[in-house]
Short mmCIF file of all heavy atoms in Angstrom, two decimals:
data_model
loop_
_atom_site.label_atom_id
_atom_site.label_comp_id
_atom_site.label_asym_id
_atom_site.label_seq_id
_atom_site.Cartn_x
_atom_site.Cartn_y
_atom_site.Cartn_z
N ASN A 22 -2.85 -8.59 -14.59
CA ASN A 22 -1.87 -8.38 -15.64
C ASN A 22 -1.21 -7.02 -15.45
O ASN A 22 -1.85 -5.97 -15.54
CB ASN A 22 -2.55 -8.45 -17.01
CG ASN A 22 -1.56 -8.53 -18.13
OD1 ASN A 22 -0.36 -8.40 -17.92
ND2 ASN A 22 -2.06 -8.73 -19.34
N VAL A 23 0.08 -7.02 -15.19
CA VAL A 23 0.82 -5.79 -14.90
C VAL A 23 0.91 -4.91 -16.15
O VAL A 23 0.94 -3.69 -16.04
CB VAL A 23 2.24 -6.13 -14.37
CG1 VAL A 23 3.03 -4.88 -14.09
CG2 VAL A 23 2.14 -6.97 -13.13
N LYS A 24 0.92 -5.52 -17.33
CA LYS A 24 1.05 -4.75 -18.56
C LYS A 24 -0.16 -3.85 -18.79
O LYS A 24 -0.05 -2.82 -19.43
CB LYS A 24 1.23 -5.69 -19.75
CG LYS A 24 2.55 -6.44 -19.71
CD LYS A 24 2.67 -7.40 -20.85
CE LYS A 24 3.96 -8.20 -20.73
NZ LYS A 24 4.05 -9.24 -21.75
N GLU A 25 -1.32 -4.24 -18.26
CA GLU A 25 -2.53 -3.45 -18.44
C GLU A 25 -2.71 -2.39 -17.37
O GLU A 25 -3.61 -1.57 -17.44
CB GLU A 25 -3.75 -4.37 -18.46
CG GLU A 25 -3.77 -5.33 -19.62
CD GLU A 25 -4.93 -6.29 -19.57
OE1 GLU A 25 -5.76 -6.19 -18.64
OE2 GLU A 25 -5.01 -7.14 -20.46
N LEU A 26 -1.87 -2.39 -16.35
CA LEU A 26 -2.01 -1.48 -15.22
C LEU A 26 -1.45 -0.09 -15.59
O LEU A 26 -0.34 0.03 -16.10
CB LEU A 26 -1.24 -2.03 -14.02
CG LEU A 26 -1.46 -1.37 -12.68
CD1 LEU A 26 -2.92 -1.51 -12.26
CD2 LEU A 26 -0.58 -2.01 -11.63
N ASP A 27 -2.24 0.95 -15.36
CA ASP A 27 -1.81 2.32 -15.62
C ASP A 27 -1.19 2.87 -14.33
O ASP A 27 -1.89 3.26 -13.40
CB ASP A 27 -3.00 3.18 -16.04
CG ASP A 27 -2.59 4.55 -16.51
OD1 ASP A 27 -1.40 4.90 -16.36
OD2 ASP A 27 -3.44 5.28 -17.03
N PHE A 28 0.15 2.87 -14.30
CA PHE A 28 0.87 3.27 -13.09
C PHE A 28 0.67 4.75 -12.76
O PHE A 28 0.65 5.13 -11.60
CB PHE A 28 2.36 2.98 -13.23
CG PHE A 28 2.67 1.51 -13.24
CD1 PHE A 28 3.03 0.87 -14.40
CD2 PHE A 28 2.59 0.77 -12.07
CE1 PHE A 28 3.31 -0.48 -14.41
CE2 PHE A 28 2.87 -0.58 -12.07
CZ PHE A 28 3.23 -1.21 -13.24
N GLY A 29 0.53 5.59 -13.77
CA GLY A 29 0.34 7.02 -13.55
C GLY A 29 -0.96 7.31 -12.83
O GLY A 29 -1.00 8.05 -11.84
N LEU A 30 -2.05 6.73 -13.31
CA LEU A 30 -3.35 6.94 -12.67
C LEU A 30 -3.38 6.29 -11.29
O LEU A 30 -3.99 6.83 -10.36
CB LEU A 30 -4.48 6.37 -13.53
CG LEU A 30 -4.77 7.14 -14.82
CD1 LEU A 30 -5.85 6.44 -15.63
CD2 LEU A 30 -5.19 8.56 -14.50
N LEU A 31 -2.72 5.15 -11.15
CA LEU A 31 -2.66 4.49 -9.85
C LEU A 31 -1.93 5.36 -8.84
O LEU A 31 -2.38 5.51 -7.70
CB LEU A 31 -1.96 3.14 -9.99
CG LEU A 31 -1.90 2.27 -8.74
CD1 LEU A 31 -3.30 1.81 -8.37
CD2 LEU A 31 -1.01 1.07 -8.98
N ALA A 32 -0.83 5.98 -9.25
CA ALA A 32 -0.09 6.87 -8.34
C ALA A 32 -0.93 8.09 -7.97
O ALA A 32 -0.90 8.53 -6.81
CB ALA A 32 1.22 7.31 -9.00
N CYS A 33 -1.69 8.61 -8.91
CA CYS A 33 -2.59 9.72 -8.59
C CYS A 33 -3.66 9.27 -7.60
O CYS A 33 -4.03 10.02 -6.70
CB CYS A 33 -3.25 10.26 -9.86
SG CYS A 33 -2.13 11.14 -10.95
N GLY A 34 -4.14 8.05 -7.76
CA GLY A 34 -5.13 7.50 -6.84
C GLY A 34 -4.60 7.34 -5.44
O GLY A 34 -5.34 7.49 -4.45
N PHE A 35 -3.31 7.07 -5.31
CA PHE A 35 -2.69 6.96 -4.00
C PHE A 35 -2.30 8.34 -3.45
O PHE A 35 -1.81 8.44 -2.33
CB PHE A 35 -1.44 6.07 -4.06
CG PHE A 35 -1.74 4.61 -3.91
CD1 PHE A 35 -1.98 3.81 -5.01
CD2 PHE A 35 -1.79 4.02 -2.65
CE1 PHE A 35 -2.27 2.48 -4.88
CE2 PHE A 35 -2.06 2.68 -2.50
CZ PHE A 35 -2.32 1.90 -3.61
N GLY A 36 -2.49 9.39 -4.24
CA GLY A 36 -2.21 10.75 -3.79
C GLY A 36 -0.73 11.07 -3.69
O GLY A 36 -0.33 11.84 -2.83
N LEU A 37 0.07 10.50 -4.59
CA LEU A 37 1.51 10.74 -4.53
C LEU A 37 1.85 12.10 -5.14
O LEU A 37 1.23 12.54 -6.11
CB LEU A 37 2.26 9.65 -5.29
CG LEU A 37 2.10 8.22 -4.77
CD1 LEU A 37 2.96 7.28 -5.57
CD2 LEU A 37 2.46 8.14 -3.30
N LEU A 38 2.84 12.75 -4.57
CA LEU A 38 3.31 14.03 -5.09
C LEU A 38 4.38 13.84 -6.15
O LEU A 38 4.56 14.69 -7.01
CB LEU A 38 3.86 14.89 -3.94
CG LEU A 38 2.85 15.22 -2.84
CD1 LEU A 38 3.54 15.98 -1.71
CD2 LEU A 38 1.69 16.01 -3.39
N GLN A 39 5.12 12.72 -6.05
CA GLN A 39 6.13 12.38 -7.06
C GLN A 39 6.17 10.85 -7.20
O GLN A 39 5.80 10.15 -6.28
CB GLN A 39 7.50 12.92 -6.67
CG GLN A 39 8.07 12.31 -5.41
CD GLN A 39 9.41 12.93 -5.04
OE1 GLN A 39 9.75 13.99 -5.53
NE2 GLN A 39 10.14 12.27 -4.17
N MET A 40 6.61 10.39 -8.36
CA MET A 40 6.70 8.95 -8.58
C MET A 40 7.92 8.39 -7.86
O MET A 40 9.01 8.96 -7.96
CB MET A 40 6.85 8.63 -10.08
CG MET A 40 5.56 8.60 -10.83
SD MET A 40 4.43 7.39 -10.23
CE MET A 40 4.44 6.24 -11.53
N PRO A 41 7.76 7.28 -7.15
CA PRO A 41 8.91 6.67 -6.48
C PRO A 41 9.80 5.96 -7.50
O PRO A 41 9.33 5.56 -8.57
CB PRO A 41 8.28 5.68 -5.51
CG PRO A 41 6.96 5.36 -6.11
CD PRO A 41 6.52 6.59 -6.84
N ARG A 42 11.07 5.80 -7.16
CA ARG A 42 11.98 5.06 -8.02
C ARG A 42 11.92 3.61 -7.60
O ARG A 42 12.25 3.28 -6.46
CB ARG A 42 13.41 5.58 -7.86
CG ARG A 42 13.58 6.96 -8.44
CD ARG A 42 15.03 7.38 -8.40
NE ARG A 42 15.11 8.82 -8.42
CZ ARG A 42 15.43 9.57 -7.38
NH1 ARG A 42 15.73 9.02 -6.23
NH2 ARG A 42 15.47 10.88 -7.49
N MET A 43 11.50 2.75 -8.52
CA MET A 43 11.43 1.33 -8.21
C MET A 43 11.59 0.53 -9.50
O MET A 43 11.25 1.00 -10.58
CB MET A 43 10.11 0.99 -7.51
CG MET A 43 8.87 1.49 -8.19
SD MET A 43 7.38 1.32 -7.22
CE MET A 43 7.15 -0.41 -7.18
N PRO A 44 12.14 -0.69 -9.39
CA PRO A 44 12.45 -1.47 -10.60
C PRO A 44 11.21 -1.84 -11.42
O PRO A 44 11.31 -1.99 -12.63
CB PRO A 44 13.14 -2.72 -10.06
CG PRO A 44 12.98 -2.72 -8.60
CD PRO A 44 12.60 -1.34 -8.18
N GLU A 45 10.06 -1.96 -10.78
CA GLU A 45 8.85 -2.34 -11.51
C GLU A 45 8.40 -1.25 -12.49
O GLU A 45 7.66 -1.53 -13.43
CB GLU A 45 7.70 -2.64 -10.53
CG GLU A 45 7.85 -3.92 -9.78
CD GLU A 45 8.71 -3.80 -8.54
OE1 GLU A 45 9.20 -2.70 -8.22
OE2 GLU A 45 8.92 -4.83 -7.89
N LEU A 46 8.85 -0.02 -12.27
CA LEU A 46 8.43 1.09 -13.13
C LEU A 46 9.41 1.38 -14.27
O LEU A 46 9.10 2.20 -15.12
CB LEU A 46 8.27 2.37 -12.29
CG LEU A 46 7.18 2.33 -11.23
CD1 LEU A 46 7.16 3.64 -10.47
CD2 LEU A 46 5.83 2.05 -11.82
N LYS A 47 10.57 0.69 -14.29
CA LYS A 47 11.54 0.94 -15.35
C LYS A 47 10.95 0.52 -16.69
O LYS A 47 10.44 -0.57 -16.87
CB LYS A 47 12.82 0.17 -15.09
CG LYS A 47 13.66 0.80 -14.01
CD LYS A 47 15.00 0.12 -13.87
CE LYS A 47 15.81 0.78 -12.78
NZ LYS A 47 17.05 0.09 -12.55
N GLY A 48 11.04 1.43 -17.65
CA GLY A 48 10.56 1.15 -19.00
C GLY A 48 9.05 1.23 -19.13
O GLY A 48 8.50 0.90 -20.17
N ARG A 49 8.34 1.65 -18.10
CA ARG A 49 6.88 1.76 -18.15
C ARG A 49 6.48 3.19 -18.49
O ARG A 49 7.17 4.16 -18.14
CB ARG A 49 6.25 1.39 -16.81
CG ARG A 49 6.59 0.02 -16.35
CD ARG A 49 5.64 -0.98 -16.90
NE ARG A 49 5.95 -2.29 -16.31
CZ ARG A 49 5.69 -3.40 -16.88
NH1 ARG A 49 5.12 -3.41 -18.05
NH2 ARG A 49 5.99 -4.53 -16.31
N ASN A 50 5.36 3.34 -19.13
CA ASN A 50 4.84 4.64 -19.50
C ASN A 50 4.02 5.19 -18.33
O ASN A 50 3.01 4.62 -17.95
CB ASN A 50 3.97 4.50 -20.75
CG ASN A 50 3.52 5.84 -21.27
OD1 ASN A 50 3.95 6.89 -20.78
ND2 ASN A 50 2.67 5.82 -22.26
N VAL A 51 4.48 6.30 -17.76
CA VAL A 51 3.77 6.92 -16.64
C VAL A 51 3.40 8.36 -17.00
O VAL A 51 3.42 9.25 -16.14
CB VAL A 51 4.60 6.87 -15.34
CG1 VAL A 51 4.68 5.47 -14.81
CG2 VAL A 51 5.97 7.45 -15.54
N GLU A 52 3.04 8.60 -18.27
CA GLU A 52 2.71 9.94 -18.71
C GLU A 52 1.42 10.45 -18.08
O GLU A 52 1.22 11.66 -17.99
CB GLU A 52 2.59 9.98 -20.23
CG GLU A 52 3.91 9.80 -20.94
CD GLU A 52 3.75 9.78 -22.46
OE1 GLU A 52 2.61 9.86 -22.95
OE2 GLU A 52 4.77 9.68 -23.15
N THR A 53 0.54 9.56 -17.65
CA THR A 53 -0.72 9.99 -17.06
C THR A 53 -0.55 10.55 -15.65
O THR A 53 -1.47 11.14 -15.11
CB THR A 53 -1.73 8.83 -17.02
OG1 THR A 53 -1.13 7.71 -16.37
CG2 THR A 53 -2.16 8.43 -18.41
N PHE A 54 0.64 10.37 -15.07
CA PHE A 54 0.90 10.92 -13.74
C PHE A 54 1.27 12.39 -13.86
O PHE A 54 2.09 12.79 -14.68
CB PHE A 54 2.05 10.17 -13.06
CG PHE A 54 2.40 10.72 -11.71
CD1 PHE A 54 1.55 10.53 -10.63
CD2 PHE A 54 3.56 11.44 -11.51
CE1 PHE A 54 1.86 11.03 -9.38
CE2 PHE A 54 3.88 11.94 -10.26
CZ PHE A 54 3.02 11.74 -9.20
N ILE A 55 0.63 13.20 -13.03
CA ILE A 55 0.90 14.64 -13.04
C ILE A 55 1.62 14.98 -11.74
O ILE A 55 1.01 14.98 -10.67
CB ILE A 55 -0.41 15.45 -13.14
CG1 ILE A 55 -1.18 15.02 -14.39
CG2 ILE A 55 -0.13 16.93 -13.14
CD1 ILE A 55 -2.62 15.49 -14.40
N PRO A 56 2.94 15.23 -11.80
CA PRO A 56 3.68 15.56 -10.57
C PRO A 56 3.24 16.91 -10.02
O PRO A 56 2.85 17.80 -10.77
CB PRO A 56 5.14 15.58 -11.00
CG PRO A 56 5.11 15.75 -12.46
CD PRO A 56 3.80 15.22 -12.97
N SER A 57 3.30 17.07 -8.71
CA SER A 57 2.88 18.32 -8.08
C SER A 57 3.99 19.36 -8.15
O SER A 57 5.16 19.04 -8.33
CB SER A 57 2.48 18.07 -6.63
OG SER A 57 3.63 17.76 -5.89
N ASP A 58 3.59 20.61 -7.97
CA ASP A 58 4.55 21.72 -7.99
C ASP A 58 5.12 21.98 -6.60
O ASP A 58 5.91 22.90 -6.42
CB ASP A 58 3.86 22.99 -8.50
CG ASP A 58 3.37 22.83 -9.94
OD1 ASP A 58 3.96 22.00 -10.66
OD2 ASP A 58 2.42 23.52 -10.33
N ILE A 59 4.74 21.20 -5.61
CA ILE A 59 5.17 21.40 -4.24
C ILE A 59 6.62 20.95 -4.09
O ILE A 59 6.99 19.86 -4.53
CB ILE A 59 4.28 20.60 -3.26
CG1 ILE A 59 2.84 21.08 -3.36
CG2 ILE A 59 4.78 20.72 -1.83
CD1 ILE A 59 1.86 20.22 -2.61
N ALA A 60 7.44 21.77 -3.47
CA ALA A 60 8.83 21.40 -3.18
C ALA A 60 8.81 20.52 -1.94
O ALA A 60 8.63 21.02 -0.82
CB ALA A 60 9.68 22.63 -2.97
N ILE A 61 8.99 19.24 -2.12
CA ILE A 61 8.86 18.28 -1.03
C ILE A 61 9.93 18.50 0.04
O ILE A 61 9.69 18.29 1.22
CB ILE A 61 8.91 16.85 -1.58
CG1 ILE A 61 7.72 16.63 -2.49
CG2 ILE A 61 8.92 15.82 -0.47
CD1 ILE A 61 7.76 15.37 -3.28
N GLU A 62 11.11 18.96 -0.38
CA GLU A 62 12.19 19.17 0.56
C GLU A 62 11.88 20.28 1.56
O GLU A 62 12.47 20.34 2.64
CB GLU A 62 13.49 19.54 -0.17
CG GLU A 62 13.92 18.56 -1.24
CD GLU A 62 13.23 18.81 -2.57
OE1 GLU A 62 12.96 19.97 -2.92
OE2 GLU A 62 12.93 17.83 -3.25
N SER A 63 10.95 21.17 1.23
CA SER A 63 10.66 22.30 2.12
C SER A 63 9.56 21.98 3.14
O SER A 63 9.28 22.80 4.00
CB SER A 63 10.25 23.51 1.29
OG SER A 63 9.03 23.24 0.61
#
Side-chain angles (χ1 to χ4, degrees):
N22 192 353
V23 179
K24 293 177 183 175
E25 295 176 3
L26 191 62
D27 188 352
F28 291 106
L30 290 177
L31 184 67
C33 289
F35 274 91
L37 298 183
L38 300 176
Q39 65 182 17
M40 277 300 250
R42 290 186 204 107
M43 51 190 291
E45 288 84 1
L46 296 179
K47 285 187 180 175
R49 302 272 185 207
N50 186 7
V51 290
E52 291 177 357
T53 53
F54 178 72
I55 303 165
S57 69
D58 297 335
I59 299 171
I61 296 170
E62 306 84 35
S63 65

